[in-house]
Amino acid sequence: DISVPSLADPAEVERQAAVDALSIIDTPRENRFDVIVRLARQLYGAESAAFTVLDRDRVWHKSRAGTDVDEAPRTVSFCSVAIKGQGSMIMGDARADGRFADNPSVMGDPGVRFYAGYPVMTPSGQQVGTICVWDTKAREVGDLDDSKLKQLAHLIESELRVDPFRAEE
């Protein structure tokens, strides 16, 4: 299992407070995020893509394309590891990565092999989720342009600064 920071950890308390302040957990899908996620899927030719938000013990998909999964436990989520970094997390074959080789998402359904994710931050700098793409075929990642993921993460961050009621005007 992937370790989930304790809510006794001051950094996790701050991160969770930033998630709570966004007030987007368990809200309906929004086109402003769906467009970005569909673009991520298209740019990387991936089977699936999502904008995820890491809540207390789960990873919730605010927006998703190519998957019907709404959430997953943080203890098995690639995104739980991706938000700990300062840049892209890219795996060509999850079976070859010791952190994920026995992960239920790798071993069972959906059989994830390729994953690429980039942290999404709040204006205060808290990493609250990811923009990510994945599929069931392993890939060579040497030529993968991760700058697109970074740009898509920044688009989501810009949208997080916009009042959702004003975004629909």
Side-chain angles (χ1 to χ4, degrees):
D1 282 353
I2 297 162
S3 67
V4 175
S6 165
L7 282 174
D9 176 352
E12 181 62 9
V13 169
E14 283 183 38
R15 196 202 65 74
Q16 186 62 51
V19 168
D20 294 342
L22 290 172
S23 298
I24 62 172
I25 294 291
D26 295 324
T27 59
R29 293 176 69 166
E30 295 176 60
N31 188 57
R32 63 190 179 134
F33 298 119
D34 290 348
V35 167
I36 297 167
V37 167
R38 286 191 308 263
L39 180 59
R41 183 179 180 202
Q42 181 181 15
L43 286 171
Y44 287 95
E47 294 170 15
S48 302
F51 162 35
T52 66
V53 181
L54 280 75
D55 200 12
R56 287 163 179 77
D57 60 353
R58 66 185 173 140
V59 175
W60 179 68
H61 295 174
K62 173 60 178 165
S63 179
R64 58 185 159 69
T67 181
D68 292 331
V69 176
D70 288 326
E71 65 182 63
R74 280 182 69 178
T75 55
V76 299
S77 171
F78 294 82
C79 300
S80 290
V81 175
I83 69 160
K84 294 177 184 176
Q86 297 300 313
S88 299
M89 182 177 102
I90 302 170
M91 277 184 292
D93 188 348
R95 291 178 300 184
D97 188 309
R99 298 170 295 178
F100 299 101
D102 63 350
N103 186 295
S105 296
V106 175
M107 299 300 296
D109 192 35
V112 173
R113 296 295 178 263
F114 167 75
Y115 171 91
Y118 196 92
V120 170
M121 290 194 271
T122 63
S124 65
Q126 292 294 324
Q127 294 185 170
V128 294
T130 67
I131 178 73
C132 58
V133 295
W134 68 93
D135 59 47
T136 58
K137 295 179 183 75
R139 296 187 185 187
E140 292 294 323
V141 295
D143 296 332
L144 189 97
D145 181 3
D146 65 340
S147 69
K148 296 172 191 170
L149 273 178
K150 181 178 181 179
Q151 292 169 13
L152 293 168
H154 291 322
L155 285 174
I156 290 173
E157 291 165 0
S158 295
E159 287 300 325
L160 290 174
R161 290 181 180 91
V162 175
D163 180 335
F165 299 107
R166 296 189 54 100
E168 295 178 10
E169 291 179 357

